[in-house]
Amino acid sequence: MTEISWQRVDPGAPKLWRESAWYGLFWLPIAAGLVSSAFVSWWAAVFVGAALAVLLHLLISHFSTRRFERLSFALADDGLLIRKGVMWRSERYVPRIRIQHVDVVEGPVARRHGLSVLSLHTAGAHLESADISGLRSADAYALRDRLLRRDGA
Amino acid sequence: MSDNVLPPGSGQRLHWASPLYELVFHLTNMIPTILGLSLATASDTYAMWGIAGIIVMGVATIVYSLFASRRLRYWMTDEDLVIRSGIIGRTVRRIPWARVENVQQKRNLLHRLTGVAEVVVEAGGGMNAEAKLRVLGLDAAAEFEQAVRARKKIGVDERAVADGADVLLALNSKELIRAGLISNQGWLAVGALFALAYQFDDYFPLGDWVRDAGKATVDAVGIDHGAVFWMALIIALVLVGFALMRALSITWWLVQFHGFSLHLVDEKLSTEHGLFTKRRGAAHRQRVQRLLVLDGWLYRLFRRQAIQVGVAGQREALNETDSLRWLAPVVRPERRSELLHAALPILDERTLDWQPLHRSAGWRVWLSHALLVPLLLLLMGVSATLVAVLVVTALVLITLDAFAYARFAGYAIDDAIIAFREGFLDRQTWFVPIDRIEWVSLVTSPMDRANGTASVLIELRTRGPGGRARIPLLALAEAQALVVRLRQQLSTVRD
């Protein structure tokens, strides 16, 4: 086992995560505004919606930044190490010989940012795979090729 | 080879009686539909339509079963098992031998009367990864298993089993009664009984009985009896329920595990059991992912233990009766090491050096359980005395449990095995061969970081007994050292 150097994902990743999070949550402030309009006057309802939007934005930004700070990976001779997680933090070691296949996924939003997700699949019985989100696509493909090379170069 | 090209030769056929079993299978699956149809058309006006529907479905099933079974062919090539099926269209399935994890023969009463067996091939990877040959004659089934075995070193060696050679463990009825008393399978039996009663509800109006019991309870609730009455009632109900469950549990064990035996033949573990449905399963020793020893308080009371095994490819959907889940449903503690060693030759329990968990383990377990105690306040409306008694009892039990847990819990690692034990009332210990680990992870929760602890998560190729392999509440430095050591040992593994 040689010493290893930890690498960060692309600095543009937090922006992508923020954007993706908003695609999933945009309806929440709107719904909150609509529901509260049944109980309070319309300008108070707009205020509730706006306040929730600001709060969500702060939370999402905070977690995206923290996620970026916590996420790093290292390619070693014997496999891949991945550190991640804000509240529940993990450092996972996937031995090279256990890697069955590697996927590079470029989602529609991620593609616009030029980023992709690298997923490692093993024969483990629990479906979760080890993945690294927010890699520059060229880096993701390069990493995939290096992982699949048996000589570990 | 392209997917739709069949191997040379005309392939092998199923047993001539196969359509019968195919029919039985489909008809059993149709029972709910038929019941639904007859209920929906119960009124006179539509009765004819209901009967017509059932007849059409029945005839269609008979025709389908007849043709489907007659049309099926299978080939065993050097690389894979090829199954061609379909009446009008043609479906060709290929299961590479490399992916085959296990071969099972299922024989229920009907199978045994007519001398046939249903052969199930379990394969790893992906959903629906099993193939059923319904049914083969006994000779053909044995031949099939031999052929798979020759390619894969799995399956059951008929002769060796028949000779009774290499029997590691055989259980008589007395031992099974013990298993029934110890390991509560009562709920499974209750489920089965309800299902049965539902089908014969003219004779056993279970629904009416439940309603009568409910009425009696409601009448009793109407009167204010005070805390003593309630406690007496709860204790009486618990005791009666307990006794009933155990009685059912014993019956369940006697039926499901009748004639249990465990064999080891050329590197292969196999078990055989069952009174009405004979179950038999086998796996190569190399496929053992984890051994789990159960040693709860009832086991200790009866001076027995149980050993379960997780084999590569096992799915969560496994039920308690599945083959090779129980290496030993009950075994004397003296024989435990020997059986563990037989299943995992690299495991020698006596040389393991057990290490305790972090010193905060006791109160961390205490806290996780004590947080549930406030829920008891919900009973305040019933009786304040009752709540006081329950809270005090719960706190005493939780405290005893947490500190007994911390005293027993620990882990051990050597060059080949990583092991973990935990529990107080439900003691259990697992052993995992390091060279079969898929990946490892060091995990810390916010609580862990406040306490300087961490847990180590180990991924295996099985969803079998014991849940995920996780060693919690380790000192952070120890957890890190453990992961480094596992990594070093894993990096020398060759596929």
Side-chain angles (χ1 to χ4, degrees):
Chain A
M1 259 193 295
T2 51
E3 234 355 274
I4 44 168
S5 62
W6 290 93
Q7 283 171 273
R8 289 272 176 88
V9 297
D10 192 81
K15 211 172 138 200
L16 162 68
W17 296 331
R18 262 201 316 269
E19 201 183 314
S20 317
W22 270 119
Y23 283 124
L25 293 173
F26 73 94
W27 55 272
L28 211 62
I30 300 174
L34 285 176
V35 168
S36 50
S37 71
F39 304 101
V40 293
S41 59
W42 68 267
W43 54 267
V46 168
F47 178 77
V48 167
L52 187 61
V54 170
L55 187 70
L56 268 180
H57 184 73
L58 290 176
L59 270 177
I60 290 172
S61 305
H62 175 73
F63 272 94
S64 302
T65 318
R66 299 279 288 130
R67 183 178 170 196
F68 175 73
E69 289 165 1
R70 290 284 321 155
L71 176 60
S72 56
F73 63 94
L75 183 65
D77 301 346
D78 56 336
L80 187 70
L81 292 115
I82 304 172
R83 278 183 183 159
K84 62 160 71 169
V86 176
M87 301 289 278
W88 270 261
R89 298 182 185 164
S90 67
E91 180 176 326
R92 184 177 299 187
Y93 163 62
V94 185
R96 193 181 281 270
I97 52 154
R98 294 293 192 235
I99 298 171
Q100 302 261 321
H101 71 274
V102 182
D103 282 335
V104 176
V105 184
E106 297 177 77
V109 186
R111 200 157 51 223
R112 269 212 328 274
H113 292 256
L115 300 178
S116 36
V117 180
L118 180 96
S119 309
L120 304 184
H121 298 271
T122 66
H126 299 86
L127 290 178
E128 91 194 57
S129 59
D131 52 29
I132 308 174
S133 166
L135 285 170
R136 198 121 294 279
S137 294
D139 295 344
Y141 285 107
L143 185 57
R144 179 194 66 178
D145 293 342
R146 290 181 66 189
L147 278 171
L148 295 182
R149 226 177 288 155
R150 281 277 154 164
D151 53 20
Chain B
M1 207 183 326
S2 130
D3 253 13
N4 224 8
V5 177
L6 291 171
S10 56
Q12 301 190 55
R13 291 163 155 238
L14 298 178
H15 189 257
W16 58 266
S18 288
L20 174 65
Y21 294 91
E22 191 73 22
L23 186 64
V24 169
F25 173 76
H26 290 293
L27 286 182
T28 341
N29 281 349
M30 273 164 54
I31 286 175
T33 321
I34 292 175
L35 280 179
L37 254 179
S38 21
L39 285 178
T41 58
S43 71
D44 287 343
T45 332
Y46 298 110
M48 288 311 291
W49 288 107
I51 293 167
I54 291 169
I55 290 174
V56 168
M57 268 167 47
V59 171
T61 312
I62 290 171
V63 172
Y64 172 83
S65 305
L66 194 63
F67 282 98
S69 304
R70 304 295 299 158
R71 287 268 303 167
L72 190 137
R73 296 282 186 283
Y74 65 93
W75 290 261
M76 303 172 87
T77 72
D78 288 342
E79 303 95 51
D80 43 21
L81 168 68
V82 183
I83 298 175
R84 189 203 70 190
S85 56
I87 299 178
I88 301 164
R90 185 171 87 165
T91 313
V92 179
R93 268 185 78 187
R94 288 172 186 283
I95 303 176
W97 296 121
R99 270 187 34 222
V100 171
E101 307 272 16
N102 194 7
V103 177
Q104 278 194 63
Q105 281 191 31
K106 287 189 180 162
R107 303 186 65 199
N108 64 25
L109 201 57
L110 189 61
H111 290 121
R112 282 156 78 188
L113 287 176
T114 46
V116 294
E118 180 176 317
V119 176
V120 182
V121 180
E122 292 171 2
M127 296 293 158
N128 227 345
E130 63 170 24
K132 284 187 178 152
L133 296 172
R134 186 183 301 124
V135 293
L136 296 183
L138 283 188
D139 293 345
E143 205 179 299
F144 184 89
E145 281 197 57
Q146 290 290 343
V148 177
R149 205 173 145 253
R151 290 165 169 91
K152 192 61 195 175
K153 295 197 165 185
I154 61 167
V156 184
D157 189 326
E158 292 271 347
R159 268 163 311 141
V161 172
D163 290 350
D166 301 286
V167 175
L168 288 178
L169 181 70
L171 298 179
N172 55 27
S173 302
K174 224 160 128 190
E175 287 294 298
L176 289 175
I177 290 173
R178 276 205 182 86
L181 284 169
I182 296 168
S183 164
N184 193 1
Q185 306 296 346
W187 285 112
L188 292 175
V190 168
L193 266 184
F194 264 90
L196 206 69
Y198 181 73
Q199 307 214 356
F200 300 100
D201 64 351
D202 286 348
Y203 309 104
F204 305 105
L206 213 58
D208 294 349
W209 297 344
V210 171
R211 206 179 48 226
D212 292 348
K215 250 188 204 153
T217 316
V218 170
D219 290 346
V221 172
I223 311 160
D224 182 17
H225 293 287
V228 178
F229 169 81
W230 283 111
M231 273 188 272
L233 183 70
I234 290 172
I235 292 169
L237 279 177
V238 166
L239 285 179
V240 170
F242 195 79
L244 269 176
M245 285 294 170
R246 294 293 144 166
L248 285 170
S249 180
I250 291 170
T251 320
W252 189 89
W253 276 94
L254 283 173
V255 171
Q256 299 286 0
F257 284 85
H258 173 81
F260 179 92
S261 59
L262 169 72
H263 311 257
L264 178 67
V265 181
D266 319 332
E267 290 288 292
K268 214 166 22 51
L269 291 161
S270 61
T271 59
E272 200 179 55
H273 56 88
L275 183 58
F276 299 118
T277 301
K278 254 233 178 321
R279 285 166 206 275
R280 165 186 268 207
H284 195 269
R285 269 204 294 209
Q286 196 61 39
R287 310 201 74 82
V288 171
Q289 299 274 304
R290 175 158 62 166
L291 295 173
L292 178 72
V293 176
L294 303 179
D295 186 19
W297 66 279
L298 276 171
Y299 284 104
R300 279 173 267 161
L301 191 68
F302 287 93
R303 289 200 312 105
R304 290 291 182 277
Q305 300 189 341
I307 306 173
Q308 298 192 333
V309 60
V311 179
Q314 244 172 18
R315 262 160 271 274
E316 213 150 27
L318 272 188
N319 56 53
E320 296 281 323
T321 54
D322 265 328
S323 58
L324 217 72
R325 180 197 172 113
W326 296 93
L327 211 57
V330 271
V331 63
R332 288 174 187 280
E334 307 88 83
R335 292 209 55 209
R336 148 193 170 146
S337 289
E338 173 203 341
L339 286 185
L340 290 173
H341 185 73
L344 269 181
I346 46 174
L347 166 60
D348 187 359
E349 251 201 300
R350 286 156 305 177
T351 61
L352 287 178
D353 181 18
W354 289 94
Q355 304 294 322
L357 301 182
H358 189 250
R359 61 192 144 72
S360 72
W363 79 260
R364 290 278 295 278
V365 172
W366 184 87
L367 195 66
S368 68
H369 293 156
L371 285 175
L372 296 175
V373 170
L375 285 180
L376 287 173
L377 294 178
L378 291 176
L379 290 174
M380 213 61 186
V382 180
S383 152
T385 326
L386 177 68
V387 170
V389 170
L390 285 179
V391 166
V392 171
T393 319
L395 284 178
V396 168
L397 287 180
I398 287 169
T399 311
L400 275 177
D401 169 75
F403 293 97
Y405 174 100
R407 227 187 25 242
F408 176 69
Y411 71 97
I413 182 170
D414 66 16
D415 291 338
I417 293 287
I418 180 159
F420 175 61
R421 61 183 189 193
E422 65 174 344
F424 165 50
L425 288 179
D426 278 320
R427 255 193 215 169
Q428 57 180 53
T429 308
W430 55 250
F431 304 88
V432 164
I434 292 172
D435 63 354
R436 289 162 220 180
I437 292 174
E438 285 292 315
W439 47 256
V440 288
S441 200
L442 179 94
V443 184
T444 59
S445 68
M447 192 71 173
D448 276 327
R449 290 194 292 280
N451 280 293
T453 55
S455 52
V456 171
L457 185 66
I458 293 169
E459 171 72 322
L460 299 170
R461 287 192 191 188
T462 179
R463 286 187 166 227
R468 294 204 79 167
R470 192 170 152 266
I471 305 181
L473 299 167
L474 290 168
L476 180 63
E478 253 178 291
Q480 281 164 337
L482 199 59
V483 171
V484 167
R485 184 159 177 196
L486 286 174
R487 183 178 161 200
Q488 270 163 353
Q489 281 166 236
L490 274 171
S491 63
T492 60
V493 171
R494 289 284 152 260
D495 247 346

